[in-house]
Amino acid sequence: MTVRGDLREPARRHPDLVIGRDELLSAAREQLARGGSVLLHGPAGIGKSTALRALASEYGTAARTVLRCSATESESHLPFLALADLLGLVVDQVYDKLPAAQRTALESALTGRGESTLQRDGLALRLAVLSALRALAEQGPVLVVADDLQWLDPASAELLGFAARRLGDTPVQLLSAVRTEGQEYDRHLSASPPDTLAVRLGGLSRAQVSALLDHRGYTGLPRSTVRDIHRTSGGNPFFALELGRALAESPTPPRPGEPLPVPTSLRALVLNRLDMLSVEARRTLLVASVGARPTLALLHEAGRENAEAETAQAAELGLLATEPEGPAVRFAHPLISAALYAEAPAQDRRAAHAALSTAASDPIERARHLALATTGTDPEAAARLAEAAATARDRGAPSVAASLGLLAARHTPADGEPGPDERRLEAAEDAITAGEVDLARDIARDVLTRAAEPADRVRAWMVVIEAAGQALGEVDTVYPQALADAGDDPGLLAQVHYQLAWRGLVVEGDFAIGREEASHAAELAARAGDRRTELLALAFQATTETLMGHPDAPATIKRALKEPQLPDVACHHNGAGATRYRWLIMSDQLPEARSTVNALLREARRRGMVESEVHFVRLLAETELRSGHCGRALDLARESMRLARDSGIGEMSSAVLASLAEASGGDVERALTLGREAVELAERAGDQMYISRGLTALGHAQLVAGDAEGAVRSLRRVRDLENGLGITDPARGRWHGDLAEALVRIGETDEAQQLLDVAREHALRLGRAGVLAVLDRAEALVRAARGEHEAALAQLTSAQDRLAKLGYGLEEARAAFALASLRPGRTGRASYDEAARLFRRCRALPWVRQVEAAAVASPVEPIAPTAASEGLEGLAAMERQVAALVMEGATNREIAARLFISVKTVEATLTRVYRKLGIRSRVDIVRLAAARRAK
């Protein structure tokens, strides 16, 4: 097997040849051919780069776009360098397809210029990379070729892994290589798609080493020497070639039995080459080894006046690779740079870092070099590192910000302002943002071992709680310790009680506890002048009161909306604006709710608040669903679900809404799957509130699917859970009508009536007009089951009218459907047509299918065959359209596409047409059309 020209080769060059890898590469080829991804791994010099190039050459022609990056160790500390390699040349093709916040984030990352709107969480950049890959894939297959993954800067690695895990069926393949020892490659799979095939490249056999040496011109070696080369190299092709080169260059070959005339490690080989350099050239290479993307210009800025001649000398010795396409100074292999740095005296290394601390153009790189050039504490270095951390944070690289923050803390004097622990805690908060919760928890716990200041201790406890995520029950012992550390300081106590409010809701499942803690937190924050915590606590209190049906909810909402407001809180998904939206939609004020959430969504997108965007898209979908715009709701719900899965935020709530939207306007089986997923996620997290919401969605999907018994099981659990949570407002989940209808279907009319009576009492108290109309629709079904036919018809007619006036289009159509089931004969058929029209207007396709099936199953009065020729005028509008298209010769599938209905609906409609016209087939419709034309 040949390897890349990492070190200088003999003058005679041979084309690359892959030796001894047929079986391994065959598996990789099969994986790539079926659209999968491949990760090559193995120790340094094992031939990963050669295999990578060979595979990329074979499969790159099948891709419309090939993106490449190859990192080095010296670049790994700077964010987004690998990202720039991948997307720098193609970003112009996708910029216009990205939302504004994502464009800003990506531009900032790629150029290091501009003001980022990412602030702390970096989600906009993650989503920007994912969106960019999807946009490129829309133009054709994409192949990402990434060499030396181990040297990818953490920010680029995180972004690549984030996108790879979420691409799904998008035609993007990743072909990568990483240096590993043993089998430790699992962690690198996180930067690859889930279906990635890991292929380990091991040592070559003796015969293969011999073939490799022959191919590269080292011929005529004795068998014993080849055996020694194989043993010394361990079958590593790079080491074997370097040993072969050393032997070829040695004037006296070793005697039999003598060791090879070279050391047995690559580092020693490199150091032999380094000894050939002049002292000044070696210093120049040392500066290059510590720089990220070093160039001749940078070396000049760092004081290396003869950089051209000195780098040329290194290139002659094979230590540097030539860069015909640019001015970069690159080492032939990363290990050369590492060996050079490791062998340099400490003072020389510090001198190199000091030179680059002023010469480097990037503020993050300058700060890092200053830190590495400085020993002990240094307020100036600490301040520059803190500024660099802020820059990295704004660029959407919280992981880099955390590492810089820790360096800043290391150089901060004990009596500094801010102090070292304060900077450590800021680094911990950056680590949480970066998803490095273990690091954040370790930093916070470390601070807690020595911190004496209450503010530092409480801040550290808050980090520990945040690091727990949804598993708040696992940090129960933290709360009393945080309270003890807060003492009687109202500002610190406010933060703790705000977290206790969430614990009461998520862990205890008790709205009353959550409300009480939030109210207390708001009072404490007001006393301390902490407006942010006060606003968040008031919004939390107002939300719980709204869901509980508490009479103080309107007054608390007004307090939460009172000036002064903080812009980032006002448009936050846990802020007062979101609470006001919830109040509006529960109070049947759909147009105002829509305008409110649209405004919140626009502001969140403008600010790049991706987490809030996920939630507001979901709330807008809910509004459209309530309004009966099922197609629009389904699109928004799917967008929210995709954003939630891409970002890892709000998956439970988005799954709930997506299930409801699929059941109303999409695929019922998909609705059932999402409903079960939502319940499973909530139960796994121990979130009592969302267990209830997930079961609500699942029960609704089961009802639509015709599984009345399943719907009853799910919705009875919802009733029990909400009673335990203290929720009394039936507008919170609006599940009561579904449960009552399902109970009627299984014959439990008494239980249905009892449920409706209790829900009506609360709806009357709270003035929930929409809920009352739905309850009346359900009660009419109870009456019909009891034989009270006329009373049921009257109640349904009233309910349908009220729902139409309130703007609940889907609920209006459901009332019309119920009316049709109670009306016989031709009146019933006309009612089914009206219900189908209303459902079709809503784009509620699952309900349309139900109406069509019910209409076909209902008894009809036959029409005399002799009336067939005049019967077209008696068809309903949809029936006439379908019949007309049949007359044109359209297939059922073509009719479905033209009328935006399902094929099953076309079939059901044709069945009714046949029965009304007294005919038997499509052929009879065509004959009828011919007869009419003949007249």
Side-chain angles (χ1 to χ4, degrees), residues 84 456 610 706 717 755 759 874:
D456 288 344
V610 179
R717 283 188 64 192
L755 168 74

Side-chain angles (χ1 to χ4, degrees), residues 623-879:
T623 309
E624 299 298 347
L625 190 59
R626 297 267 181 241
S627 303
H629 304 152
C630 297
R632 171 69 172 152
L634 184 60
D635 290 342
L636 288 166
R638 287 172 175 171
E639 178 185 352
S640 175
M641 193 72 225
R642 192 181 80 174
L643 283 171
R645 286 179 170 162
D646 287 349
S647 63
I649 291 172
E651 289 188 72
M652 283 187 292
S653 53
S654 293
V656 167
L657 201 283
S659 175
L660 291 169
E662 291 284 355
S664 298
D667 186 303
V668 178
E669 287 300 319
R670 176 69 176 151
L672 291 167
T673 299
L674 286 166
R676 295 187 183 100
E677 178 183 328
V679 174
E680 182 181 348
L681 288 170
E683 288 178 335
R684 193 183 308 155
D687 192 322
Q688 300 299 309
M689 183 172 65
Y690 268 99
I691 292 175
S692 166
R693 292 182 68 86
L695 286 167
T696 297
L698 177 59
H700 178 73
Q702 289 167 326
L703 181 68
V704 177
D707 180 10
E709 292 183 352
V712 168
R713 285 194 301 271
S714 296
L715 296 175
R716 277 175 175 165
R717 283 188 64 192
V718 174
R719 178 185 60 193
D720 296 341
L721 282 167
E722 293 204 354
N723 287 340
L725 289 166
I727 298 173
T728 60
D729 192 337
R732 185 254 180 177
R734 298 178 185 260
W735 49 267
H736 306 76
D738 283 349
L739 177 54
E741 183 174 339
L743 286 167
V744 170
R745 291 188 188 181
I746 67 171
E748 297 289 348
T749 55
D750 291 342
E751 183 183 347
Q753 187 62 60
Q754 183 181 9
L755 168 74
L756 294 169
D757 290 342
V758 173
R760 181 175 284 106
E761 180 182 349
H762 291 299
L764 286 169
R765 173 175 61 85
L766 297 167
R768 303 301 194 218
V771 172
L772 287 168
V774 170
L775 296 177
D776 279 352
R777 184 194 70 210
E779 187 173 51
L781 298 177
V782 175
R783 289 184 169 180
R786 291 174 173 173
E788 302 172 22
H789 193 78
E790 293 302 322
L793 286 172
Q795 195 168 17
L796 278 172
T797 302
S798 172
Q800 181 181 351
D801 182 60
R802 286 147 53 206
L803 289 166
K805 290 178 179 177
L806 289 168
Y808 289 106
L810 184 59
E811 299 294 349
E812 174 195 359
R814 288 181 65 179
F817 187 14
L819 270 172
S821 67
L822 298 182
R823 288 173 172 163
R826 293 194 178 184
T827 303
R829 288 201 306 276
S831 296
Y832 280 125
D833 287 342
E834 173 64 9
R837 183 187 68 81
L838 292 174
F839 280 128
R840 201 170 284 113
R841 183 185 66 183
C842 295
R843 294 294 301 275
L845 299 183
W847 287 103
V848 171
R849 289 190 284 272
Q850 284 200 38
V851 173
E852 300 290 359
V856 169
S858 66
V860 295
E861 299 172 7
I863 299 176
T866 55
S869 58
E870 290 78 29
L872 289 175
E873 288 72 22
L875 297 178
M878 176 59 68
E879 294 166 346

Side-chain angles (χ1 to χ4, degrees), residues 277-634:
L277 289 172
S278 68
V279 173
E280 290 302 313
R282 186 161 179 158
R283 287 176 179 168
T284 295
L285 258 63
L286 178 61
V287 175
S289 75
V290 302
R293 292 187 182 272
T295 62
L296 291 173
L298 178 64
L299 293 175
H300 281 299
E301 286 291 324
R304 308 310 302 167
E305 297 178 356
N306 298 317
E308 285 89 349
E310 289 159 356
T311 55
Q313 181 188 1
E316 284 294 320
L317 292 170
L319 294 167
L320 294 179
T322 57
E323 290 285 346
E325 297 179 0
V329 176
R330 284 190 177 273
F331 286 90
H333 193 282
L335 289 179
I336 299 173
S337 173
L340 174 65
Y341 187 80
E343 287 298 309
Q347 63 269 25
D348 289 353
R349 282 182 278 181
R350 286 197 295 272
H353 286 298
L356 290 178
S357 70
T358 56
S361 59
D362 187 273
I364 294 177
E365 185 179 1
R366 289 198 303 270
R368 175 180 173 275
H369 286 305
L370 179 62
L372 295 173
T374 305
T375 58
T377 59
D378 186 316
E380 180 187 352
R384 284 181 59 181
L385 283 161
E387 291 174 4
T391 301
R393 194 178 303 123
D394 288 341
R395 289 184 184 180
S399 179
V400 174
S403 64
L404 290 169
L406 290 174
L407 281 174
R410 184 182 304 168
H411 290 289
T412 301
D415 59 351
E417 185 59 39
D421 280 343
E422 186 173 347
R423 282 180 166 150
R424 288 188 184 94
L425 289 172
E426 188 168 27
E429 291 161 354
D430 285 327
I432 285 179
T433 303
E436 300 174 10
V437 293
D438 291 339
L439 173 62
R441 187 185 302 109
D442 290 345
I443 295 171
R445 295 286 188 186
D446 175 59
V447 170
L448 286 165
T449 61
R450 61 177 174 275
E453 287 295 322
D456 288 344
R457 292 188 64 79
V458 170
R459 187 176 180 184
W461 288 126
M462 296 303 100
V463 169
V464 173
I465 293 172
E466 290 287 342
Q470 290 287 333
L472 294 180
E474 296 179 4
V475 292
D476 259 356
T477 59
V478 166
Y479 298 98
Q481 296 178 75
L483 285 170
D485 285 329
D488 58 1
D489 185 310
L492 299 180
L493 286 169
Q495 297 177 50
V496 181
H497 282 282
Y498 178 66
Q499 292 292 346
L500 282 168
W502 282 104
R503 182 192 175 280
L505 193 62
V506 173
V507 179
E508 297 292 335
D510 193 319
F511 273 65
I513 292 176
R515 174 183 177 271
E516 182 180 351
E517 291 288 358
S519 175
H520 190 34
E523 293 173 4
L524 290 167
R527 283 168 48 195
D530 181 356
R531 185 61 173 162
R532 179 181 179 83
T533 303
E534 180 187 10
L535 288 171
L536 288 170
L538 284 171
F540 186 98
Q541 180 185 346
T543 298
T544 56
E545 289 175 349
T546 298
L547 297 175
M548 293 169 66
H550 197 285
D552 291 347
T556 307
I557 292 174
K558 288 182 180 178
R559 287 175 61 201
L561 291 169
K562 187 177 179 181
E563 295 293 340
Q565 290 289 314
L566 301 179
D568 61 324
V569 176
C571 63
H572 193 276
H573 59 280
N574 286 328
T579 301
R580 180 173 179 270
Y581 160 82
R582 178 58 60 192
W583 172 262
L584 290 169
I585 200 167
M586 291 176 67
S587 301
D588 304 313
Q589 301 179 55
L590 294 179
E592 193 170 354
R594 181 184 292 106
S595 63
T596 297
V597 74
N598 266 317
L600 290 169
L601 178 58
R602 283 195 301 271
E603 184 64 12
R605 282 174 168 165
R606 188 183 72 82
R607 291 176 171 272
M609 299 170 65
V610 179
E611 183 174 3
S612 293
E613 179 185 356
V614 171
H615 290 284
F616 291 143
V617 169
R618 173 179 57 82
L619 295 181
L620 182 57
E622 181 179 349
T623 309
E624 299 298 347
L625 190 59
R626 297 267 181 241
S627 303
H629 304 152
C630 297
R632 171 69 172 152
L634 184 60

